């Protein structure tokens, strides 16, 4: 394959213990000198090649994390020596997209990274040791669990520092077989989470130190609460909506009926002459608000008819119909 180990220090003309400032100074000087725009056509190609090398060397050495990985490996390689950190059962695959860097760079920082085929641009300017990233996951709760509070056991995979190589991704002349050179491994974690009573939809629960692990410590895990649709209630912000089914005579005459709330059954007075679709408000029976008070529950009136009425009932309904008809005539 012929990937050669590159001496990035030599490219920038600095020593192996150069400071960040020295790296920057050397880079600026060389970048200006070899910038392709400043060269005539016959020199342009050579300048471009050199310019790329300079940029690549800078990219690696200015990033403490990359520099450390490079240094660890560099101990066992000479400039120009064939670079073969492959291990059994693994093979190098070029990233699909051209990263703009040399094969050596891709091999060191790209090709082996599981799920990360090109070097992460967003990681370019990170400084090690950095803290692990925050992780967000969704937590599904029933309405009752969210309202009353609950204890939930969740399982998720979070990336952690590889214990075999301590996150360097390097083991001697090879990529670490534990993490394939990424320095990170996915570990399954089982967590028991206490859901406080009155947790609302889309609330984020923060679990300190349960995010991704890095040299600088673990990030946090945020659980975004998703409340499942409920068969009996619709959630509208802090308010709840539910149906209250009553009989036609209860609607006409008025009645005391029982209605379900999150706190259990309550007695509700249906006023005489209540029409279908009318809403009755149960103050303070909704979901908890941030200020400690509670929303309301709205009962939407549904008038249902008796199933399979008996002969006596049918006689009465007929009488009712006659009375209604007589009233309309007069
Ligand atoms: Zn490792």
């Amino acid at each position: 394959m012929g990937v050669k180990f590159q001496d990035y220090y030599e490219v920038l003309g600095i020593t192996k213990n150069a400071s960040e400032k020295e790296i920057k100074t050397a880079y600026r000087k060389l970048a200006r000198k070899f910038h392709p725009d400043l060269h005539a056509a016959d020199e342009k190609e050579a300048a471009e090649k050199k310019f790329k090398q300079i940029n690549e060397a800078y990219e690696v050495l200015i990033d403490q994390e990359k520099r450390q990985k490079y240094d660890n490996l560099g101990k066992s390689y000479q400039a120009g020596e064939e670079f073969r950190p492959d291990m059994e059962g693994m093979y190098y695959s070029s990233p699909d997209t051209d990263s703009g860097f040399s094969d050596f760079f891709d091999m060191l920082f790209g090709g082996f990274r599981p799920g990360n085929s090109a070097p992460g641009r967003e990681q370019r300017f990170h400084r090690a040791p950095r803290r692990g990233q925050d992780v967000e996951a969704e937590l599904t709760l029933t309405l009752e669990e969210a309202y009353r509070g609950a204890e939930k056991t969740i399982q998720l995979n979070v990336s952690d520092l590889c214990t075999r190589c301590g996150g360097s991704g390097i083991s001697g002349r090879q990529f670490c077989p534990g993490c394939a050179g990424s320095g990170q491994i996915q570990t399954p974690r089982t967590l028991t989470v206490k859901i406080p009573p009155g947790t609302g939809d889309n609330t984020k629960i923060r679990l300190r130190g349960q995010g991704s692990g890095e040299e600088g410590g673990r990030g946090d895990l945020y659980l975004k609460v998703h409340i499942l649709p409920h068969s009996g209630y619709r959630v509208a912000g802090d308010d709840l909506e539910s149906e209250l089914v009553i009989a036609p005579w209860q609607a006409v005459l008025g009645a005391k009926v029982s209605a379900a709330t999150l706190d259990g059954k309550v007695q509700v007075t249906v006023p005489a002459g209540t029409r279908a679709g009318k809403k009755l408000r149960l103050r303070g029976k909704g979901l908890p608000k941030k200020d400690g008070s509670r929303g309301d529950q709205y009962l939407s009136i549904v008038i249902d008819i008796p199933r399979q009425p008996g002969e006596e009932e049918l006689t009465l309904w007929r009488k009712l119909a006659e009375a209604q008809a007589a009233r309309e005539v007069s």
Side-chain angles (χ1 to χ4, degrees):
M1 190 168 53
V3 174
K4 301 266 189 280
F5 184 84
Q6 295 190 23
D7 190 336
Y8 289 138
Y9 292 99
E10 202 179 274
V11 170
L12 292 183
I14 50 178
T15 62
K16 287 212 158 44
N17 46 27
S19 68
E20 197 179 308
K21 201 180 159 200
E22 286 169 322
I23 295 169
K24 280 184 179 159
T25 309
Y27 167 72
R28 277 197 208 105
K29 218 171 103 186
L30 290 168
R32 231 172 297 160
K33 188 171 166 194
F34 290 100
H35 197 289
D37 292 351
L38 304 175
H39 291 264
D42 56 329
E43 293 174 332
K44 215 178 184 77
E45 204 177 313
E48 217 163 62
K49 205 175 149 204
K50 185 84 184 152
F51 188 68
K52 266 190 171 176
Q53 274 187 335
I54 294 159
N55 274 299
E56 183 172 312
Y58 180 73
E59 169 99 16
V60 173
L61 298 183
I62 204 65
D63 182 318
Q64 283 189 43
E65 210 175 309
K66 285 201 181 82
R67 185 178 180 183
Q68 200 181 350
K69 188 172 179 179
Y70 173 77
D71 283 349
N72 280 336
L73 205 63
K75 284 181 205 137
S76 5
Y77 283 91
Q78 299 289 320
E81 188 183 350
E82 188 167 0
F83 181 65
R84 273 194 173 280
D86 307 54
M87 37 198 171
E88 237 174 288
M90 294 218 55
Y91 42 89
Y92 170 70
S93 62
S94 258
D96 294 339
T97 50
D98 184 11
S99 65
F101 296 112
S102 70
D103 286 347
F104 171 69
F105 180 97
D106 285 344
M107 203 160 169
L108 188 51
F109 300 110
F112 278 101
R113 274 180 189 246
N116 184 9
S117 60
R121 287 289 177 161
E122 76 285 355
Q123 294 179 12
R124 263 180 98 152
F125 300 109
H126 274 300
R127 300 282 178 268
R130 60 174 174 168
R131 183 173 157 272
Q133 287 180 346
D134 292 339
V135 174
E136 192 173 301
E138 190 162 281
L139 180 66
T140 305
L141 299 177
T142 65
L143 186 60
E144 285 89 351
E145 285 172 333
Y147 173 65
R148 297 200 183 104
E151 208 171 81
K152 297 284 274 188
T153 301
I154 55 165
Q155 280 177 316
L156 70 172
N157 282 323
V158 182
S159 82
D160 240 328
L161 212 59
C162 173
T163 45
R164 230 164 137 160
C165 63
S168 70
I170 306 290
S171 154
R173 280 171 75 96
Q174 308 213 304
F175 283 118
C176 166
C179 59
S182 69
Q184 298 270 308
I185 44 165
Q186 292 284 321
T187 46
R189 239 179 264 174
T190 304
L191 299 169
T192 304
V193 190
K194 271 201 157 60
I195 314 299
T199 297
D201 203 16
N202 295 321
T203 305
K204 281 186 184 171
I205 298 171
R206 180 187 185 191
L207 298 177
R208 228 176 253 272
Q210 295 292 353
S212 297
E214 292 267 4
E215 290 93 332
R218 275 187 182 168
D220 298 331
L221 172 66
Y222 287 90
L223 294 174
K224 192 176 178 198
V225 170
H226 170 64
I227 298 179
L228 286 170
H230 192 282
S231 60
Y233 301 100
R234 280 182 304 277
V235 177
D238 305 316
D239 295 334
L240 292 175
E241 290 171 10
S242 61
E243 287 183 344
L244 184 64
V245 180
I246 57 174
W249 53 88
Q250 290 176 320
V252 176
L253 304 172
K256 276 200 188 313
V257 297
S258 95
T261 72
L262 286 176
D263 303 313
K265 300 217 170 215
V266 295
Q267 283 290 309
V268 180
T269 303
V270 178
T274 294
R275 286 168 176 273
K278 184 186 165 72
K279 287 195 169 127
L280 301 179
R281 176 156 79 164
L282 298 179
R283 236 177 244 279
K285 291 293 181 193
L287 295 174
K289 294 184 186 179
K290 285 205 177 71
D291 65 4
S293 68
R294 283 177 63 180
D296 302 325
Q297 181 176 344
Y298 289 90
L299 301 170
S300 184
I301 297 293
V302 173
I303 299 172
D304 200 8
I305 58 163
R307 315 276 152 182
Q308 295 172 317
E311 200 44 49
E312 194 189 346
E313 285 166 86
L314 286 172
T315 307
L316 289 169
W317 281 109
R318 282 186 204 107
K319 278 192 175 171
L320 207 56
E322 283 161 21
Q324 181 74 22
R327 204 170 71 147
E328 275 166 17
V329 168
S330 63

